[in-house]
Structure formats: structure tokens, C-alpha cells
Amino acid sequence: MAEAAQKGWNVGTTAEEAYNEGIDLSLAENKVIDDKYKTQSNVKWNGDIKRLYLQKWIALYKDGHEAWAESRRTDVPLMAPAPASPYPGHNRPPFRYPYPASEARLNGANSKPFAANVKDNYWGQQMWWDTRKNVK
């Protein structure tokens, strides 16, 4: 809701109200009691949509696949490159995960043509909905 309101959609609330409510609901769901969290300078709403994306990513910590998809969609957060990465300098989530071995075994007829097009299981093919630009 906060993202929609921030982008000017009529959702019946302001981005700031939805942002604060989202944080409150996330804290309550996770049984975190912290009256000062939203007053921190790096958390308090300032109109920056990247701040909103970061709080959503934090709230999704129990749902790793959803958090990964949001990070690919928003490019938030940008993390330090992994030191042992075979892709030096990469600080963004990969484009995709490889097909599991069971996919070829159980659904080979359908998955083989797609898997054959993938040259690199992580960085070889950007998904159609991943609109990030300048990702190496």
C-alpha cells in the first residue's frame, strides 16, 4: 500500500501512514517490542521509496524467496560483493536459481528446451520480469 500511495495511486491512505503501519504490523507479528525503532534516523519516513523497499525486505526475513524476488525487483538492498564469488564485484542478487536435478528427471520433456538456453545458472539469463538495468 505504501508503495502504491508513494507512486500516486489512490489507495485511501498516504505513503507515510501505510509505511508506519507496515512496520507496526511486522513488529507485532514477530513479537518485537520496540517503541524507538521508527524514530531512528535511517528508519523514520522521509519520502524515499528505497527506504520503504528496505523495510519491506527486512519484514520478509522469514520468507526468503519473496525477499529475494523483492530485492531483484527493487535493487534494494545493495550488499557488499561476496569475497569468494566467481563473479567479482557483483553485489546484486543473481538473475535466477538453476533448475533442480529433479526437474530434469521428473519434467525433462518440458524443462529441457528452457534449460538448454541457460548458459550460466545464475547470471546467464535475466528473467522477463526482472527490469534491473546495468546488472553485470
Side-chain angles (χ1 to χ4, degrees), residues 14-15 17 29 37 75 83 88 96 99 101 103 108 118 122 124-125 130 134:
T14 68
E17 289 169 346
E29 176 185 345
Y37 181 73
D75 228 9
R96 61 186 314 265
Y99 287 115
E103 189 69 25
V118 177
Y122 295 97
Q125 186 177 8
D130 186 347
N134 301 320

Side-chain angles (χ1 to χ4, degrees), residues 19-56:
Y19 173 83
N20 287 322
E21 183 180 8
I23 290 173
D24 291 340
L25 291 170
S26 178
L27 292 173
E29 176 185 345
N30 294 294
K31 298 175 179 54
V32 175
I33 300 169
D34 188 343
D35 296 334
K36 296 180 182 177
Y37 181 73
K38 291 188 305 187
T39 64
Q40 296 178 57
S41 63
N42 62 341
V43 176
K44 188 175 181 176
W45 178 250
N46 67 354
D48 182 4
I49 201 159
K50 287 188 177 188
R51 184 165 292 186
L52 185 156
Y53 292 154
L54 180 61
Q55 291 303 313
K56 183 175 183 183

